[in-house]
Amino acid sequence: MSQLFSAAKRLPALLLPRHHLSTSALSTSSSLPDGATPATAASGLPFLNCRRRKKLRKKLQSPRVAPIQRDAGRRLPDFEAVVRLDAALRFISRTKCYLSRLPGHCIPLADAGKLHRELGFPRGRKVSRFAARHPLLLHLPRLPPDSKPLLAFTPLMDSLIAEELVLMDAMESTRVTTVRKLLMMSAGRRIPLAKLHHCRLLFGLPDDFRDRVHKYPDYFRVAVDPKDGCHVLELVEWDPALAVSALERDFVPDEARVRRTFKFPIRHGKALPLQEDDERRLNSLTTLPLVSPYSDCSGLQPWTVEAEKYRVGVIHEFLSLTLEKRAWIHHIVEFKEEFNLTKHTYPMLLKQPRAFYLAGTEMNWAVFLKDAYREDGTLIEKDPQVLFNEKLQHYALTESESGEGVS
């Protein structure tokens, strides 16, 4: 009996019998308790009564916690850790974007509590608790008793915002090239400005990029879509020098590696008698070359291999244009009309495990460009904006108010 009791003490909270479980361990929140994974929680089902077992099983099957990589043997912990870090820093990243547009970089605390979507914290929680987790960047200024409490940036955060503005100005020409390549890939060579603004952090675009595009009349033209009255950004002139994808650039120095990256299986007999030329032609269909994402795909049938090659090439080039060579699925779906994507994007990406990695949960998952990352989940080439974001994350994860030891 003593051995059973000592073993029970070592079990996680979700694995203990009912009288050992706290009410928070099986709450209806969207995330599992700290230190408990879906696997460990599922192994604790035999210790629970029928009612709690049914509740826990339903929770583990929820798209909020069910991993997008269903095969545990194929999961890459380093990529999964990147997704979890993004979720942990969602509040500070959204708050930075929102407060940086306000005069004085502050907002009344009562008003901030109503902006759970804009500031990135769960509805019903206190915003002051989330601000207290980042004392180097956010604080509640001490004001006279008769004044309203505020949520504001610290002097350190103000200096970082000024540094980022200087960086945005220095990288403007690079961001213009990125937008031009996106327009060259899109159908009709036009993209709604609202979609680009929604995904601006993905490509390192400044908040006022909708005003900056007017500085480049040789590249861009802002028009009004007669269908819905929305403003769209149109390409003025096609540049053949930019119509070269990252995959095509890699194909020249290392053709063998690029050919092994993709596979488009075609059903045929195992003992199909083929001559050498026919076999080479069949291999060209099942591997590369991909259809260029800058080509006109209007004549492709959606169910053909060529159309799938085109869509794979579009997503590959789209990810290569992002700062961190990855994107959330809602970012990709945002451009489904412009890039002629279909509802079969998820199974299409699953068939290319050497090129892409899917991380996160079934409700919200990210696509990684694996060639751009090392085995430990770090980027091979980092944009200056990525280096700035890493410094901001370092300050955000530092709990010391004095900031001692922060470089």
Side-chain angles (χ1 to χ4, degrees):
M1 181 65 67
S2 61
Q3 294 178 352
L4 292 176
F5 180 75
S6 60
K9 291 197 299 182
R10 295 194 298 268
L11 290 173
L14 283 173
L15 306 188
L16 296 177
R18 181 176 181 177
H19 61 277
H20 286 293
L21 287 169
S22 63
T23 57
S24 62
L26 290 177
S27 63
T28 56
S29 62
S30 61
S31 59
L32 295 173
D34 295 339
T37 63
T40 58
S43 62
L45 288 174
F47 295 92
L48 306 178
N49 58 26
C50 294
R51 186 176 180 181
R52 289 191 165 223
R53 189 184 303 125
K54 182 179 179 181
K55 185 177 181 180
L56 179 57
R57 184 181 290 111
K58 182 179 179 181
K59 180 178 180 180
L60 294 175
Q61 294 174 351
S62 171
R64 291 181 178 272
V65 297
I68 193 67
Q69 289 286 348
R70 298 171 184 174
D71 187 357
R74 294 185 177 182
R75 293 175 197 160
L76 302 179
D78 294 318
F79 288 101
E80 300 290 345
V82 173
V83 173
R84 290 195 297 269
L85 180 61
D86 273 2
L89 297 176
R90 183 180 297 115
F91 171 75
I92 191 63
S93 60
R94 292 191 182 181
T95 301
K96 178 183 77 72
C97 294
Y98 188 83
L99 292 187
S100 61
R101 299 194 297 265
L102 299 180
H105 296 167
C106 62
I107 187 176
L109 190 60
D111 297 340
K114 304 174 184 178
L115 302 173
H116 63 279
R117 291 182 180 272
E118 290 79 2
L119 301 184
F121 64 94
R123 185 176 184 178
R125 306 290 180 87
K126 290 186 177 180
V127 65
S128 57
R129 294 180 56 186
F130 288 86
R133 299 176 184 176
H134 313 287
L136 295 182
L137 304 180
L138 299 172
H139 72 134
L140 306 176
R142 296 183 177 89
L143 299 173
D146 57 343
S147 61
K148 297 181 180 180
L150 300 175
L151 174 66
F153 286 160
T154 62
L156 173 62
M157 187 64 166
D158 286 327
S159 64
L160 291 175
I161 294 296
E163 179 182 346
E164 187 177 26
L165 292 177
V166 175
L167 178 61
M168 289 286 186
D169 294 337
M171 299 298 297
E172 183 171 315
S173 60
T174 303
R175 307 305 181 229
V176 167
T177 302
T178 299
V179 176
R180 291 176 65 191
K181 292 176 75 69
L182 288 172
L183 290 173
M184 292 173 65
M185 282 197 302
S186 62
R189 313 298 181 241
R190 59 202 315 250
I191 297 177
L193 275 172
K195 293 185 177 184
L196 290 173
H197 184 264
H198 178 254
C199 302
R200 64 190 183 280
L201 299 181
L202 199 64
F203 306 103
L205 304 178
D207 291 339
D208 60 343
F209 89 98
R210 287 177 289 189
D211 299 327
R212 298 196 184 197
V213 294
H214 296 286
K215 297 165 50 179
Y216 303 92
D218 296 338
Y219 300 149
F220 310 119
R221 176 175 55 248
V222 178
V224 178
D225 192 341
K227 297 181 180 179
D228 51 13
C230 296
H231 289 80
V232 296
L233 189 65
E234 297 180 345
L235 184 69
V236 173
E237 184 178 0
W238 180 273
D239 189 353
L242 295 180
V244 180
S245 64
L247 199 61
E248 292 172 326
R249 291 194 300 268
D250 295 340
F251 189 77
V252 175
D254 196 351
E255 177 181 349
R257 181 189 63 82
V258 177
R259 282 190 177 276
R260 291 192 303 267
T261 303
F262 301 95
K263 189 71 174 178
F264 300 90
I266 297 179
R267 294 181 180 179
H268 60 82
K270 295 183 179 179
L272 186 64
L274 294 176
Q275 295 182 359
E276 183 178 355
D277 294 341
D278 296 333
E279 185 176 358
R280 187 183 302 109
R281 189 177 298 108
L282 182 59
N283 290 335
S284 67
L285 288 175
T286 58
T287 58
L288 284 173
L290 293 178
V291 179
S292 174
Y294 298 100
S295 60
D296 185 11
C297 68
S298 58
L300 297 177
Q301 299 297 332
W303 56 86
T304 60
V305 178
E306 288 76 10
E308 184 171 346
K309 287 184 176 184
Y310 168 78
R311 290 191 292 268
V312 170
V314 164
I315 294 181
H316 189 283
E317 182 69 2
F318 179 86
L319 295 177
S320 67
L321 293 176
T322 61
L323 293 179
E324 300 184 3
K325 314 307 178 188
R326 60 184 173 91
W328 294 95
I329 184 57
H330 62 83
H331 288 139
I332 298 176
V333 174
E334 188 84 12
F335 299 93
K336 61 180 180 180
E337 290 86 4
E338 288 73 20
F339 296 154
N340 298 286
L341 301 178
T342 66
K343 62 180 180 180
H344 304 293
T345 299
Y346 169 66
M348 181 184 70
L349 294 175
L350 282 182
K351 291 191 297 185
Q352 308 296 340
R354 295 182 179 179
F356 309 112
Y357 180 77
L358 279 57
T361 63
E362 293 180 358
M363 177 169 286
N364 194 17
W365 45 280
V367 185
F368 287 77
L369 196 61
K370 294 181 67 174
D371 288 343
Y373 285 82
R374 300 184 181 91
E375 294 184 358
D376 59 353
T378 58
L379 274 171
I380 298 177
E381 297 181 2
K382 295 184 179 181
D383 186 90
Q385 182 67 43
V386 175
L387 297 176
F388 173 83
N389 293 339
E390 290 181 349
K391 180 168 66 173
L392 182 66
Q393 292 175 1
H394 176 66
Y395 286 125
L397 297 175
T398 303
E399 300 179 357
S400 174
E401 295 186 3
S402 61
E404 295 180 359
V406 178
S407 58

